[in-house]
mmCIF file of all heavy atoms in Angstrom:
data_model
loop_
_atom_site.group_PDB
_atom_site.id
_atom_site.type_symbol
_atom_site.label_atom_id
_atom_site.label_comp_id
_atom_site.label_asym_id
_atom_site.label_seq_id
_atom_site.Cartn_x
_atom_site.Cartn_y
_atom_site.Cartn_z
ATOM 1 N N GLU A 66 -8.084 0.913 -11.670
ATOM 2 C CA GLU A 66 -8.197 2.369 -11.901
ATOM 3 C C GLU A 66 -6.819 2.925 -12.286
ATOM 4 O O GLU A 66 -5.822 2.644 -11.635
ATOM 5 C CB GLU A 66 -8.756 3.042 -10.630
ATOM 6 C CG GLU A 66 -8.583 4.542 -10.541
ATOM 7 C CD GLU A 66 -9.143 5.345 -11.711
ATOM 8 O OE1 GLU A 66 -10.271 5.062 -12.158
ATOM 9 O OE2 GLU A 66 -8.450 6.263 -12.184
ATOM 10 N N SER A 75 -15.563 12.232 -12.017
ATOM 11 C CA SER A 75 -16.362 12.091 -10.791
ATOM 12 C C SER A 75 -15.830 12.949 -9.648
ATOM 13 O O SER A 75 -16.596 13.348 -8.780
ATOM 14 C CB SER A 75 -16.430 10.618 -10.372
ATOM 15 O OG SER A 75 -17.056 9.873 -11.389
ATOM 16 N N PHE A 81 -23.826 18.997 -9.374
ATOM 17 C CA PHE A 81 -25.284 19.091 -9.586
ATOM 18 C C PHE A 81 -25.852 17.683 -9.667
ATOM 19 O O PHE A 81 -25.475 16.917 -10.560
ATOM 20 C CB PHE A 81 -25.608 19.752 -10.927
ATOM 21 C CG PHE A 81 -25.432 21.236 -10.984
ATOM 22 C CD1 PHE A 81 -24.403 21.874 -10.317
ATOM 23 C CD2 PHE A 81 -26.294 22.008 -11.742
ATOM 24 C CE1 PHE A 81 -24.240 23.243 -10.395
ATOM 25 C CE2 PHE A 81 -26.146 23.374 -11.827
ATOM 26 C CZ PHE A 81 -25.109 23.993 -11.153
ATOM 27 N N MET A 216 -5.098 0.244 -17.307
ATOM 28 C CA MET A 216 -5.196 -0.887 -18.231
ATOM 29 C C MET A 216 -4.422 -0.497 -19.490
ATOM 30 O O MET A 216 -4.674 0.562 -20.074
ATOM 31 C CB MET A 216 -6.661 -1.154 -18.589
ATOM 32 C CG MET A 216 -6.827 -2.224 -19.651
ATOM 33 S SD MET A 216 -8.574 -2.561 -19.984
ATOM 34 C CE MET A 216 -9.027 -1.136 -20.962
ATOM 35 N N ASN A 244 -15.495 6.357 -19.019
ATOM 36 C CA ASN A 244 -15.883 7.714 -19.429
ATOM 37 C C ASN A 244 -15.152 8.071 -20.730
ATOM 38 O O ASN A 244 -15.028 7.230 -21.620
ATOM 39 C CB ASN A 244 -15.573 8.674 -18.266
ATOM 40 C CG ASN A 244 -16.096 10.078 -18.485
ATOM 41 O OD1 ASN A 244 -16.816 10.332 -19.426
ATOM 42 N ND2 ASN A 244 -15.728 10.992 -17.617
ATOM 43 N N GLY A 385 -23.857 13.164 -15.018
ATOM 44 C CA GLY A 385 -23.575 11.772 -14.659
ATOM 45 C C GLY A 385 -23.746 11.425 -13.192
ATOM 46 O O GLY A 385 -23.689 10.249 -12.839
HETATM 47 C C1 FAD B 1 -15.906 19.820 -15.155
HETATM 48 C C2 FAD B 1 -17.067 18.858 -15.122
HETATM 49 C C3 FAD B 1 -18.250 19.251 -14.528
HETATM 50 C C4 FAD B 1 -19.343 18.364 -14.471
HETATM 51 N N1 FAD B 1 -20.452 18.726 -13.763
HETATM 52 C C5 FAD B 1 -21.437 17.827 -13.563
HETATM 53 C C6 FAD B 1 -22.523 18.138 -12.716
HETATM 54 O O1 FAD B 1 -22.585 19.195 -12.107
HETATM 55 N N2 FAD B 1 -23.506 17.204 -12.581
HETATM 56 C C7 FAD B 1 -23.452 15.996 -13.209
HETATM 57 O O2 FAD B 1 -24.378 15.194 -13.061
HETATM 58 N N3 FAD B 1 -22.398 15.664 -13.978
HETATM 59 C C8 FAD B 1 -21.389 16.535 -14.159
HETATM 60 N N4 FAD B 1 -20.298 16.191 -14.908
HETATM 61 C C9 FAD B 1 -20.259 14.856 -15.521
HETATM 62 C C10 FAD B 1 -19.957 13.778 -14.489
HETATM 63 O O3 FAD B 1 -18.846 14.165 -13.710
HETATM 64 C C11 FAD B 1 -19.649 12.473 -15.220
HETATM 65 O O4 FAD B 1 -20.704 12.165 -16.117
HETATM 66 C C12 FAD B 1 -19.487 11.314 -14.258
HETATM 67 O O5 FAD B 1 -18.505 11.615 -13.304
HETATM 68 C C13 FAD B 1 -19.117 10.084 -15.051
HETATM 69 O O6 FAD B 1 -18.670 9.076 -14.178
HETATM 70 P P1 FAD B 1 -17.743 7.944 -14.774
HETATM 71 O O7 FAD B 1 -17.482 6.980 -13.716
HETATM 72 O O8 FAD B 1 -18.332 7.464 -16.059
HETATM 73 O O9 FAD B 1 -16.429 8.722 -15.228
HETATM 74 P P2 FAD B 1 -15.044 9.068 -14.431
HETATM 75 O O10 FAD B 1 -15.266 9.578 -13.090
HETATM 76 O O11 FAD B 1 -14.246 9.915 -15.365
HETATM 77 O O12 FAD B 1 -14.409 7.647 -14.298
HETATM 78 C C14 FAD B 1 -13.701 7.003 -15.325
HETATM 79 C C15 FAD B 1 -12.467 6.449 -14.685
HETATM 80 O O13 FAD B 1 -11.784 5.600 -15.619
HETATM 81 C C16 FAD B 1 -10.412 5.715 -15.334
HETATM 82 N N5 FAD B 1 -9.648 5.226 -16.477
HETATM 83 C C17 FAD B 1 -9.522 5.791 -17.688
HETATM 84 N N6 FAD B 1 -8.711 5.044 -18.464
HETATM 85 C C18 FAD B 1 -8.333 3.975 -17.723
HETATM 86 C C19 FAD B 1 -7.477 2.861 -17.968
HETATM 87 N N7 FAD B 1 -6.850 2.707 -19.133
HETATM 88 N N8 FAD B 1 -7.319 1.970 -16.983
HETATM 89 C C20 FAD B 1 -7.951 2.108 -15.776
HETATM 90 N N9 FAD B 1 -8.737 3.147 -15.499
HETATM 91 C C21 FAD B 1 -8.940 4.070 -16.455
HETATM 92 C C22 FAD B 1 -10.222 7.216 -15.096
HETATM 93 O O14 FAD B 1 -9.020 7.511 -14.404
HETATM 94 C C23 FAD B 1 -11.473 7.547 -14.305
HETATM 95 O O15 FAD B 1 -11.256 7.529 -12.909
HETATM 96 C C24 FAD B 1 -19.223 17.061 -15.040
HETATM 97 C C25 FAD B 1 -18.030 16.682 -15.652
HETATM 98 C C26 FAD B 1 -16.963 17.570 -15.698
HETATM 99 C C27 FAD B 1 -15.675 17.128 -16.346
#
Side-chain angles (χ1 to χ4, degrees):
E66 164 55 44
S75 299
F81 284 37
M216 174 177 76
N244 188 8

